[in-house]
């Protein structure tokens, strides 16, 4: 049985990561999911959240993705993300401010408001940025 699989993270600006991974987890519309070696063929959309890749040496890499698609085909995982931010590029205090502002807006919004999905995604993205900055500081 294989212990790793090829993983590629691609955004509209190019390839963010390409290499082998032991495990990758991300967030889809039904919640968090994981991909291991020899995973069955699978495709899902992504929602804003943290994508984590465990590399063969045991180290972990993280990105905040704003949405996209994940596909496993013939034991190869390809993630086509709208955007992917490294935790090192995120300002922790700005991310916390984003969460507060998005939460205030979202908490007063009706489910029937046409801006509801976009506001929910903005809140999820802001929360993912805060989560990623916490992962960055705990890795030290």
């Amino acid at each position: 049985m294989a212990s790793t699989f090829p993983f590629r993270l691609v955004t509209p600006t190019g390839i963010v990561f390409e290499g082998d991974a032991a495990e990758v987890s991300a967030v889809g519309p039904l919640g968090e999911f994981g991909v291991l070696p020899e995973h069955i063929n699978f495709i899902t959309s992504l929602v804003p959240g943290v994508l984590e890749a465990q590399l063969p040496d045991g180290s972990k890499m993280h990105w905040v993705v704003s949405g996209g698609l994940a596909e496993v085909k013939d034991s190869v995982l390809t993630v086509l993300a709208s955007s992917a931010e490294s935790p090192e590029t995120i300002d922790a205090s700005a991310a916390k401010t984003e969460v507060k502002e998005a939460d205030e807006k979202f908490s007063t919004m009706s489910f029937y408001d046409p801006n509801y999905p976009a506001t929910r995604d903005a809140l999820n993205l802001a929360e993912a940025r805060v989560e990623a900055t916490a992962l960055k500081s705990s890795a030290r």
Side-chain angles (χ1 to χ4, degrees):
M1 184 165 146
S3 61
T4 64
F5 58 94
F7 164 56
R8 185 176 324 137
L9 173 59
V10 183
T11 67
T13 58
I15 296 173
V16 176
F17 178 83
E18 187 169 22
D20 287 338
E23 180 179 357
V24 175
S25 62
V27 183
L30 298 177
E32 189 172 358
F33 66 92
V35 176
L36 294 167
E38 299 183 22
H39 197 285
I40 62 167
N41 288 348
F42 171 78
I43 189 166
T44 188
S45 59
L46 297 174
V47 297
V50 176
L51 184 145
E52 178 182 274
Q54 182 176 339
L55 303 180
D57 65 2
S59 65
K60 294 182 180 180
M61 295 184 75
H62 300 93
W63 297 272
V64 175
V65 296
S66 59
L69 294 171
E71 176 193 49
V72 178
K73 181 158 170 93
D74 301 329
S75 296
V76 175
L77 172 62
T78 303
V79 173
L80 303 173
S82 302
S83 68
E85 301 172 80
S86 170
E88 291 76 26
T89 65
I90 298 170
D91 179 351
S93 62
K96 289 177 185 174
T97 302
E98 283 179 36
V99 168
K100 184 178 177 193
E101 291 171 357
D103 189 41
E104 287 173 3
K105 185 175 180 181
F106 187 68
S107 66
T108 61
M109 183 172 278
S110 166
F111 178 79
Y112 299 104
D113 188 312
N115 295 321
Y116 183 89
T119 305
R120 181 196 57 223
D121 286 349
L123 176 59
N124 289 343
L125 183 59
E127 290 173 338
R129 287 180 174 138
V130 169
E131 180 184 344
T133 60
L135 290 169
K136 172 180 68 173
S137 61
S138 69
R140 292 180 184 163

